[in-house]
Amino acid sequence: MKFAPRRRPVCFLLALGLLACSYAEAQDPLPSWNNGPNKRAITQFVADVTRLGSSTFVPQDQRIATFDNDGTLWVEQPMYTQLAFALARVKALAPQHPEWKQQQPFKAVLDGDMKSLAASGERGLVQLMMTTHAGMTTAEFETIVTDWTRTAQHPRFHRPYTECVYQPMLELLAYLRASGFKTYIVSGGGVEFMRPWVEQVYGIPPEQTVGSTIKTQFEMKNGSPVLMRLPDVDFVDDKAGKPVGINKFIGRRPIAAFGNSDGDQQMLEWTAAGPGKRLMLLVHHTDATREYAYDRQSSFGKLDKALDEAKAKSWVVVDMKRDWKTIFPASAQGK
Amino acid sequence: MKFAPRRRPVCFLLALGLLACSYAEAQDPLPSWNNGPNKRAITQFVADVTRLGSSTFVPQDQRIATFDNDGTLWVEQPMYTQLAFALARVKALAPQHPEWKQQQPFKAVLDGDMKSLAASGERGLVQLMMTTHAGMTTAEFETIVTDWTRTAQHPRFHRPYTECVYQPMLELLAYLRASGFKTYIVSGGGVEFMRPWVEQVYGIPPEQTVGSTIKTQFEMKNGSPVLMRLPDVDFVDDKAGKPVGINKFIGRRPIAAFGNSDGDQQMLEWTAAGPGKRLMLLVHHTDATREYAYDRQSSFGKLDKALDEAKAKSWVVVDMKRDWKTIFPASAQGK
């Protein structure tokens, strides 16, 4: 065999790309989406911006699509996955911190007392995040995240969090890439919490992952350079921070943006404000049976003002229950 | 004609890529480099990491190469180009600021008094940068930069700054890309000063341009969202900041890094510290006749500690005078 499967020289990839071109034209690119106006709005937009010679054509280098992560690409209930990770880290680190038994917000975590945890407010939450996300090198943190995502399971779906991703959105990502888009994550979550697994799960490389950051510092440790993670917030990539993050990290305005909450409102506004054809889409969680149903009152992924704006401006609002044939991919672990 | 030249559908690009593959194998990829140990070190490195089945092979997605800009890809004498831009902006804005005639560091700029400007120190310089780089939207700033780079000329070479780029480095960028590398700029310069022109000049898209940033803020202006540039430094992508910027913006460690000054030392150290084959290269400005000769004593692009480390660790040190057949590309404007 000339090409081993895990080795990917450029020419082989290019040839594959050519094949993919013909393939994409022949198949339904979104098989897990029910036919209807929302699916049609997506395929129509892609056709409009890729049709050579049309007035709505967009050159390939400008086909930037940004995706929120929590609640848009993967489950964010009963709590953000990164928060579940932080709680698990507190439990794992507790033997080295006997004082936590008496000290909030750690005591609440160890007691499983979510009420006291909520009462500790944003200050408690930041303390929790800094304690569990800082004080190690970037390489050490990557190992911690990788180990956790390999073993942790979602409490309701009993499968790894990385398999609690939305099959219809995986198809949408692949469809956009096959149509010459560069797909980005633009998440309020920590960028170094996502980068270790996004490529394998979403096909999005680390360098196309934008998120919140904490400060890091270049240091020499035993003669080798390391980046130490400091307990100090650098950038919050949420709400009005999302356009800021897009401009800072990508430097181009997206022509398509996908979200599910008020945290994505400004990203969609920023996307909509450019010239030419645009696609703004919100995932509305309407399926309590297969996933969750929540919007205006939710602690995680609150969708209120953005829903009103979406309706007023005719952005696409995906009705998860009606629009999606399946929610999750077939589990890699079997059933 | 089936494909118009300025429209680039994915399949056409892929086909071009396939052609480029065969082409790259047949030609000298670095015609402006004199044969010798430095050119050989580059081509040997590329051969080592791209040879399928070899123990030194690096998968394509990990072939990240980072390039400093000032003094590595374009001229940084007699001063950083971005500083020349700032001085020109002060002159352009002066009619709206009569008070500047009496006020340092602006008075020094208007009088062409570089001694007083230098005496204003870092504080004066920051004031100059903030006054000329903030207080407008990102879109307005992009227009200002684009207009200036189109018209401004280098005082010695009498050609646009964007043509005071190094032909051998343009070839190196193209060679690495043809070998499956993703090429990045990692510069101490402002990212929004570079992004408007880097794609056309270097073939590096805005999203692969890392640099220093000032804070921006999402605002509604006449009902449209804009990003306002604030007079507040966000991140300095220089010295120990370069590995931090690489980790933050790219999220992967480069396997090849190119610089020319002490500002690049930590980037090269960070690159060198990864496993497998690595290429660390410094451009040493040794050619006063065709360009400039400077190193340990220079105000701009000081090369001192990094030169010692390069020698001690056998990093490639390009001797501009000896290694480069030509310095600049043929001028687009003619001679």
Side-chain angles (χ1 to χ4, degrees):
Chain A
M1 213 170 78
K2 201 169 172 189
F3 297 109
R6 291 190 61 84
R7 290 173 183 148
R8 306 181 297 186
V10 60
C11 302
F12 178 58
L13 268 189
L14 290 167
L16 261 187
L18 273 178
L19 280 177
C21 282
S22 345
Y23 179 82
E25 282 155 19
Q27 305 278 326
D28 176 359
L30 301 172
S32 299
W33 291 69
N34 287 313
N35 291 324
N38 284 341
K39 180 172 179 173
R40 209 154 47 231
I42 296 169
T43 53
Q44 186 61 51
F45 167 77
V46 171
D48 286 345
V49 299
T50 56
R51 197 184 310 109
L52 210 57
S54 83
S55 63
T56 53
F57 179 80
V58 175
Q60 197 175 328
D61 67 337
Q62 290 163 40
R63 291 184 209 151
I64 303 286
T66 54
F67 289 80
D68 169 58
N69 186 37
D70 298 303
T72 299
L73 295 178
W74 76 350
V75 170
E76 65 183 350
Q77 303 289 354
M79 68 177 79
Y80 296 132
T81 304
Q82 193 170 358
L83 181 55
F85 165 77
L87 302 187
R89 287 303 297 159
V90 168
K91 287 172 192 162
L93 294 168
Q96 299 155 49
H97 295 274
E99 74 280 10
W100 284 356
K101 280 185 191 153
Q102 312 302 329
Q103 190 185 325
Q104 294 296 13
F106 306 102
K107 183 178 185 315
V109 177
L110 298 175
D111 296 347
D113 174 5
M114 290 299 114
K115 221 171 195 173
S116 298
L117 180 59
S120 75
E122 198 184 315
R123 198 165 152 243
L125 204 67
V126 168
Q127 197 184 353
L128 211 62
M129 295 304 277
M130 291 303 141
T131 308
T132 53
H133 285 65
M136 70 291 277
T137 69
T138 51
E140 286 161 354
F141 187 69
E142 184 180 341
T143 303
I144 292 167
V145 170
T146 303
D147 289 348
W148 185 80
T149 48
R150 266 192 204 135
T151 53
Q153 299 246 332
H154 188 277
R156 175 174 159 196
F157 300 115
H158 306 294
R159 46 159 69 192
Y161 287 95
T162 48
E163 293 179 16
C164 296
V165 296
Y166 305 128
Q167 175 63 22
M169 297 304 283
L170 297 181
E171 292 169 6
L172 180 51
L173 284 167
Y175 172 46
L176 289 175
R177 286 193 293 261
S179 305
F181 280 76
K182 213 162 174 176
T183 53
Y184 281 83
I185 291 172
V186 176
S187 169
V191 72
E192 298 202 88
F193 179 69
M194 299 183 284
R195 281 180 172 156
W197 52 268
V198 288
E199 185 152 39
Q200 199 187 339
V201 173
Y202 300 135
I204 295 177
E207 63 269 29
Q208 287 166 224
T209 306
V210 177
S212 297
T213 51
I214 63 174
K215 291 195 172 143
T216 65
Q217 185 171 286
F218 182 82
E219 288 177 12
M220 285 291 169
K221 199 174 166 182
N222 307 323
S224 270
V226 296
L227 289 170
M228 286 301 295
R229 292 172 59 82
L230 309 181
D232 195 355
V233 173
D234 174 50
F235 174 62
V236 177
D237 188 54
D238 199 28
K239 299 192 174 71
K242 288 207 175 188
V244 170
I246 287 169
N247 183 65
K248 177 153 74 167
F249 287 83
I250 309 176
R252 300 198 205 242
R253 193 194 298 259
I255 64 167
F258 305 86
N260 77 300
S261 79
D262 285 358
D264 304 311
Q265 187 177 8
Q266 289 87 347
M267 173 167 78
L268 269 61
E269 289 172 347
W270 178 244
T271 302
K277 284 266 170 185
R278 307 267 141 182
L279 178 63
M280 282 64 62
L281 182 150
L282 287 173
V283 174
H284 190 187
H285 292 261
T286 53
D287 195 332
T289 309
R290 294 185 300 170
E291 203 244 7
Y292 295 93
Y294 59 97
D295 45 37
R296 298 181 193 273
Q297 305 300 326
S298 182
S299 312
F300 301 102
K302 178 178 173 179
L303 174 63
D304 182 29
K305 287 182 189 169
L307 188 58
D308 294 336
E309 186 169 357
K311 285 176 180 169
K313 296 187 173 169
S314 301
W315 295 345
V316 177
V317 179
V318 168
D319 181 332
M320 191 179 253
K321 192 172 179 177
R322 233 182 16 197
D323 285 328
W324 288 0
K325 276 184 205 159
T326 51
I327 306 291
F328 301 125
S331 172
Q333 308 199 308
K335 297 253 166 145
Chain B
M1 213 172 78
K2 202 169 171 188
F3 296 111
R6 291 192 62 84
R7 290 172 183 148
R8 305 181 300 187
V10 59
C11 301
F12 178 58
L13 267 188
L14 291 165
L16 261 188
L18 273 178
L19 280 177
C21 283
S22 342
Y23 179 82
E25 281 155 19
Q27 305 278 325
D28 176 358
L30 301 172
S32 298
W33 292 70
N34 286 314
N35 290 325
N38 285 341
K39 180 172 178 173
R40 208 155 47 233
I42 295 169
T43 54
Q44 185 61 52
F45 167 76
V46 171
D48 286 346
V49 299
T50 56
R51 197 184 310 110
L52 210 58
S54 83
S55 63
T56 53
F57 178 80
V58 175
Q60 197 176 328
D61 68 336
Q62 289 162 41
R63 291 184 210 152
I64 304 286
T66 54
F67 288 79
D68 169 57
N69 186 36
D70 298 304
T72 300
L73 295 179
W74 76 349
V75 170
E76 65 183 349
Q77 302 292 353
M79 67 177 78
Y80 295 132
T81 304
Q82 193 170 358
L83 181 55
F85 165 77
L87 302 187
R89 287 303 298 160
V90 167
K91 287 171 191 162
L93 293 168
Q96 299 155 49
H97 294 274
E99 75 279 10
W100 285 356
K101 281 184 189 153
Q102 312 302 330
Q103 191 185 325
Q104 295 294 14
F106 306 102
K107 183 178 185 317
V109 176
L110 298 175
D111 297 345
D113 174 6
M114 290 298 113
K115 221 171 195 172
S116 298
L117 180 60
S120 75
E122 197 184 316
R123 199 166 150 241
L125 204 68
V126 168
Q127 197 183 352
L128 211 61
M129 295 303 277
M130 290 304 139
T131 306
T132 53
H133 285 65
M136 70 291 279
T137 69
T138 51
E140 287 161 354
F141 187 69
E142 184 180 342
T143 302
I144 293 168
V145 170
T146 303
D147 290 348
W148 185 81
T149 47
R150 266 192 204 135
T151 53
Q153 298 246 333
H154 188 277
R156 176 175 159 196
F157 300 115
H158 306 295
R159 45 159 69 193
Y161 288 95
T162 47
E163 293 180 15
C164 296
V165 297
Y166 305 127
Q167 174 64 23
M169 297 304 282
L170 297 181
E171 292 168 6
L172 180 52
L173 283 167
Y175 172 46
L176 289 175
R177 286 194 292 261
S179 306
F181 280 76
K182 213 162 176 175
T183 53
Y184 281 84
I185 290 171
V186 176
S187 168
V191 73
E192 298 201 88
F193 179 69
M194 299 182 284
R195 280 179 173 157
W197 52 268
V198 288
E199 184 151 39
Q200 200 187 338
V201 174
Y202 301 136
I204 295 177
E207 63 268 28
Q208 285 164 226
T209 307
V210 177
S212 297
T213 51
I214 63 174
K215 290 194 173 144
T216 66
Q217 187 172 286
F218 182 83
E219 289 176 12
M220 285 291 169
K221 199 175 166 183
N222 307 322
S224 272
V226 296
L227 289 170
M228 286 302 296
R229 292 171 58 81
L230 308 182
D232 195 356
V233 173
D234 175 50
F235 174 62
V236 178
D237 188 55
D238 199 28
K239 299 192 173 72
K242 288 208 176 189
V244 170
I246 287 169
N247 183 65
K248 177 153 73 167
F249 287 83
I250 310 176
R252 302 197 204 241
R253 193 194 300 256
I255 63 167
F258 305 86
N260 77 299
S261 79
D262 285 358
D264 304 311
Q265 187 176 8
Q266 290 85 350
M267 173 168 78
L268 269 61
E269 288 173 347
W270 179 243
T271 302
K277 283 267 171 184
R278 306 267 142 182
L279 177 64
M280 283 66 61
L281 181 149
L282 287 174
V283 174
H284 190 188
H285 292 260
T286 52
D287 195 333
T289 309
R290 295 186 299 170
E291 203 245 7
Y292 295 93
Y294 59 97
D295 46 36
R296 297 182 196 272
Q297 304 301 325
S298 182
S299 311
F300 301 102
K302 179 178 172 178
L303 174 63
D304 182 29
K305 287 183 190 169
L307 188 58
D308 294 336
E309 185 168 357
K311 285 176 180 170
K313 295 187 173 169
S314 300
W315 295 346
V316 176
V317 179
V318 169
D319 181 331
M320 191 179 254
K321 192 173 179 178
R322 232 181 19 194
D323 285 328
W324 288 0
K325 278 184 203 159
T326 51
I327 305 291
F328 301 126
S331 172
Q333 307 199 307
K335 298 247 166 150

